[in-house]
Amino acid sequence: MAGQAGTLPARRLRFVAQRLLIHVGVALWIVVLVLALQILPMERYPEVAGTQRIDAAELCLRQSEAQDGACAVTRRSTLPDPISADSDTVATYRINLTVDDRTHLQALLIPRASDSLQVTVNGTVLTPTRDASEPLWHDWNKPTFIGLPAPVLRDGDTTIEIALRRANEGRLALYPFYVGNAAVLQAEWLEQFATGPGTIRMNWATTLIQVLASLALWRMSPRSLGFGWLALTMGAALVFGSEWAFPNLAPQHPLWVAVWCFSIQAMVYFIFRFLLGFFGDPSRMYLRLMHGVIVLNTLVLIVNRPMLGFAPGAIFFAGVAVLALLTLGWLLSLPRRGGKQPHMTLFFMFSLASALAATVWIDAFWPPGTVLAPLGPQAMTILIIGLSWSLLQRFDELRRQRDRLHASLAEQVEQKSAELEATYAALAQQSQRRLITQERQRIMLDLHDGIGGQLVNTLAYMENSGHQDPVLQNAIEDALRDMGLMIDSLHLEDDIPVMLGMIRNRLEPLLHRHKAQFAWQVDATTRLDNQTPSDVLALMRIVQEAISNAVKHSSATVITVQSEDRAIRITDNGCGFDTSKASEALPSDSGLGLRGMRQRAADIGIQLDVRSSGSGTVVHLFW
């Protein structure tokens, strides 16, 4: 016991070390993926034919209350040039262009800017103006295309001013932009819009459909597959994606900001709970770790103060990254299921989505240019594909389970059907036997009370009236014995030893009258092949005829009845007879007659051998 107690902490230490190594490996894997994304064949700000890329501008920083031109800071800025600012800061970028041909200055394309922008060309504002009391219009999530009308242009120098503001504390940043041919820039704008806001809104619509589908599936099966967790996952993704897809429709209240932040970590947590129900895991360690990280992350939001030189938002999103790492580490530690590893496919999908999402976090909180571009929309696409794939895998597994269950049920139905048929057949046989038994009872009663009673009355009349007729008396007694044999056969059906005992009981008075006795050697296992009641009755008639002949005609004193499994032998110590003459005699000469006995034996498929001499007769029946 002491040795076991000593090894338990060691086992726990090894387990924790293994899990720690797994998560370190997962973190390194995410770093590798992020680095791999940076070597993709794509330029951060590519040249566009027929346009001019603007990479530098004069920056003027001022407070929103200050007059235009009253710059607190003025400097030459190389784009992008992110600036930490609050809601009162206005960053104005001024560019002077000398254009000889106005066809080279038809439009303006700004791929990225944070957050709300206002474009002025030669003193003319080309973006919609809003009242100061109204919320700022967010432009950070989409490229901006502005056509330059001819009246605002002039020969020689053209001045373009781009003013940036934001509604809260954060970054102001203008990225390299383009001026030039309108058709070329509009085509570029459409492409950027499709890969950016278009993809985001498509993901948002897909997520909404999956929310509704998950709720419908959960409604139909509340306790299976974790559809409730999937619906919560998609609901959290819907809230999170709303800020990206429709930032100008989202509420500007601080409560919405808190809900939006919580939706990010809730989405990761709900994914973990969905996968936990999907794969199953008896360990609750990861669930406890998840809860601990969520509590710490919540405290970071509540305190809302920089920690260790990092902004609260950076720390919060780092906590979300820890939740993602825990989920990926848990997926990686799962065992195989039936020789397969479906969780590995999800691991690769979700790790790629995490790496894509990490580019957004790096772009937002690290120095500009650290990553080529934030790939948040693609992260959400991969995440949706991963969840959809997991559902398809689960449905495929359910289909296989259904097929196995269907085959098992079909086998059980077939088995039970066979059992029911056998039961119905047995019931039918039982009913038939009951009817036969009832009919036999009726026949026995009719024989006993009808013909049997008349024969007994006739025999009693002969004895009481003094009219003795030995031949008639013997015939009546034989008829009574034969009728008793028939009644016994109806009652006992096919039990040969018992039928032999009944014959003995009925013939004992006859033997006693002729001063003879039985030597009884009957085996309880005697049975005919394919035995039927009619065959047993025919066999008993042969036995009864042999015993009656021995008593009446051979003056025997001892009649031996022997039976074996497949034979019956009747032996007497009488005077014997000539078997050749007896075979030719008519039945009326000696009861049934030897010829009749042979015929009955042949009818039921048995052999009859009769041997007689002066010392007695042997009747041997065998089959």
Side-chain angles (χ1 to χ4, degrees):
M1 293 296 293
Q4 292 180 357
T7 59
L8 186 59
R11 290 179 181 176
R12 289 180 177 175
L13 185 61
R14 284 197 301 270
F15 176 81
V16 172
Q18 290 173 356
R19 290 297 184 269
L20 185 60
L21 286 176
I22 288 175
H23 289 89
V24 170
V26 170
L28 292 176
W29 168 245
I30 298 298
V31 171
V32 169
L33 287 178
V34 172
L35 294 176
L37 291 173
Q38 307 314 305
I39 62 174
L40 291 177
M42 63 177 183
E43 294 185 33
R44 190 178 288 115
Y45 309 108
E47 295 284 352
V48 179
T51 68
Q52 179 182 353
R53 185 181 65 191
I54 308 301
D55 297 319
E58 293 292 332
L59 173 63
C60 169
L61 289 178
R62 63 180 178 84
Q63 295 298 309
S64 57
E65 295 82 3
Q67 296 180 355
D68 293 343
C71 302
V73 176
T74 303
R75 71 168 185 263
R76 183 70 176 173
S77 175
T78 301
L79 305 181
D81 184 14
I83 301 164
S84 297
D86 54 25
S87 58
D88 293 328
T89 303
V90 179
T92 303
Y93 295 85
R94 182 179 294 107
I95 304 97
N96 293 317
L97 297 177
T98 301
V99 180
D100 298 330
D101 187 356
R102 293 188 181 182
T103 59
H104 295 161
L105 192 60
Q106 297 175 345
L108 178 70
L109 174 61
I110 304 174
R112 289 185 64 189
S114 297
D115 173 20
S116 177
L117 62 86
Q118 176 181 287
V119 178
T120 304
V121 177
N122 293 329
T124 303
V125 178
L126 299 182
T127 52
T129 57
R130 300 172 66 87
D131 189 88
S133 61
E134 296 180 0
L136 289 178
W137 187 262
H138 301 284
D139 298 295
W140 59 267
N141 70 317
K142 66 182 188 301
T144 301
F145 174 82
I146 300 174
L148 301 180
V152 303
L153 301 177
R154 61 191 179 196
D155 297 333
D157 293 341
T158 296
T159 302
I160 301 174
E161 292 183 348
I162 301 175
L164 301 180
R165 293 184 59 184
R166 62 179 302 114
N168 50 21
E169 188 174 335
R171 278 184 174 183
L172 293 175
L174 177 66
Y175 293 79
F177 60 96
Y178 303 87
V179 295
N181 184 273
V184 174
L185 290 178
Q186 188 170 32
E188 183 69 18
W189 173 79
L190 288 173
E191 180 181 346
Q192 293 186 11
F193 191 91
T195 57
T199 302
I200 294 172
R201 292 172 185 178
M202 182 189 68
N203 290 337
W204 191 88
T206 304
T207 304
L208 177 60
I209 293 173
Q210 290 197 345
V211 168
L212 299 176
S214 302
L215 287 174
L217 292 171
W218 177 76
R219 179 70 175 174
M220 291 187 293
S221 182
R223 295 185 179 181
S224 65
L225 293 180
F227 284 129
W229 291 115
L230 181 61
L232 289 173
T233 300
M234 292 304 172
L238 200 66
V239 173
F240 172 68
S242 298
E243 184 70 23
W244 285 70
F246 313 103
N248 295 302
L249 299 180
Q252 299 302 311
H253 197 277
L255 180 60
W256 166 255
V257 177
V259 170
W260 181 77
C261 291
F262 277 115
S263 69
I264 303 172
Q265 68 176 3
M267 179 176 62
V268 180
Y269 176 72
F270 293 149
I271 288 175
F272 174 76
R273 292 304 299 262
F274 168 68
L275 295 177
L276 187 67
F278 184 82
F279 291 106
D281 183 13
S283 172
R284 314 302 289 180
M285 181 190 72
Y286 280 95
L287 197 57
R288 297 189 187 99
L289 289 174
M290 285 282 214
H291 292 162
V293 174
I294 290 173
V295 170
L296 291 176
N297 239 14
T298 304
L299 291 176
V300 169
L301 278 185
I302 293 174
V303 174
N304 196 25
R305 292 287 185 275
M307 300 179 185
L308 302 177
F310 293 98
I315 298 175
F316 176 82
F317 286 106
V320 175
V322 171
L323 293 177
L325 288 176
L326 287 174
T327 302
L328 292 172
W330 172 77
L331 276 175
L332 195 61
S333 65
L334 288 176
R336 292 190 176 192
R337 298 176 61 185
K340 299 181 180 180
Q341 291 181 298
H343 57 278
M344 291 305 298
T345 303
L346 286 177
F347 171 79
F348 285 114
M349 286 186 178
F350 290 159
S351 61
L352 179 58
S354 300
L356 293 170
T359 62
V360 179
W361 180 73
I362 294 172
D363 181 76
F365 298 103
W366 288 40
T370 306
V371 293
L372 287 177
L375 300 173
Q378 291 73 18
M380 197 63 191
T381 302
I382 297 297
L383 181 63
I384 293 173
I385 292 174
L387 291 174
S388 301
W389 183 87
S390 64
L391 273 181
L392 291 177
Q393 286 292 107
R394 183 57 174 166
F395 284 141
D396 183 63
E397 182 178 346
L398 283 179
R399 180 188 59 80
R400 291 195 296 268
Q401 291 180 0
R402 182 205 62 191
D403 292 342
R404 290 194 295 267
L405 180 60
H406 184 270
S408 175
L409 289 176
E411 182 179 355
Q412 292 182 17
V413 168
E414 184 177 355
Q415 179 181 355
K416 295 301 180 182
S417 298
E419 292 178 0
L420 284 175
E421 290 179 1
T423 302
Y424 289 148
L427 289 174
Q429 292 178 358
Q430 185 177 8
S431 178
Q432 185 178 9
R433 284 196 296 268
R434 185 170 61 251
L435 293 174
I436 292 173
T437 301
Q438 292 175 354
E439 185 64 15
R440 284 175 176 170
Q441 293 290 338
R442 186 188 65 79
I443 294 174
M444 285 190 293
L445 289 175
D446 289 346
L447 289 174
H448 185 274
D449 297 339
I451 299 175
Q454 293 177 8
L455 292 174
V456 170
N457 290 336
T458 302
L459 190 61
Y461 172 76
M462 292 178 62
E463 292 176 353
N464 295 331
S465 64
H467 294 85
Q468 299 296 325
D469 187 341
V471 176
L472 181 59
Q473 183 175 357
N474 286 336
I476 293 174
E477 289 177 350
D478 288 342
L480 285 171
R481 282 191 293 272
D482 189 66
M483 186 183 65
L485 180 62
M486 292 176 62
I487 293 173
D488 291 341
S489 68
L490 290 172
H491 180 66
L492 299 172
E493 292 190 7
D494 55 358
D495 194 334
I496 292 176
V498 176
M499 289 289 289
L500 289 173
M502 299 297 292
I503 289 177
R504 176 183 181 181
N505 184 58
R506 292 184 180 280
L507 294 180
E508 285 277 5
L510 178 64
L511 268 71
H512 181 71
R513 198 160 57 241
H514 288 81
K515 298 183 175 10
Q517 62 181 1
F518 278 117
W520 204 257
Q521 302 175 13
V522 175
D523 191 345
T525 60
T526 306
R527 186 172 180 84
L528 292 172
D529 295 332
N530 300 320
Q531 181 172 295
T532 63
S534 60
D535 293 343
V536 174
L537 177 60
L539 178 63
M540 292 301 105
R541 286 183 184 277
I542 297 172
V543 172
Q544 180 174 284
E545 181 68 15
I547 296 173
S548 298
N549 289 338
V551 173
K552 295 178 181 179
H553 305 296
S554 67
S555 300
T557 58
V558 177
I559 298 175
T560 304
V561 178
Q562 297 173 298
S563 71
E564 301 172 356
D565 289 347
R566 301 174 61 82
I568 297 176
R569 184 180 288 107
I570 301 99
T571 306
D572 65 65
N573 60 353
C575 59
F577 64 97
D578 188 348
T579 56
S580 60
K581 293 182 179 180
S583 299
E584 299 173 357
L586 296 174
S588 58
D589 295 336
S590 59
L592 179 65
L594 186 57
R595 184 164 47 183
M597 293 169 63
R598 292 186 186 281
Q599 183 61 47
R600 288 186 184 275
D603 289 343
I604 61 176
I606 65 175
Q607 301 294 322
L608 173 62
D609 181 31
V610 180
R611 298 182 183 182
S612 185
S613 64
S615 59
T617 301
V618 178
V619 178
H620 187 203
L621 297 163
F622 58 94
W623 53 90

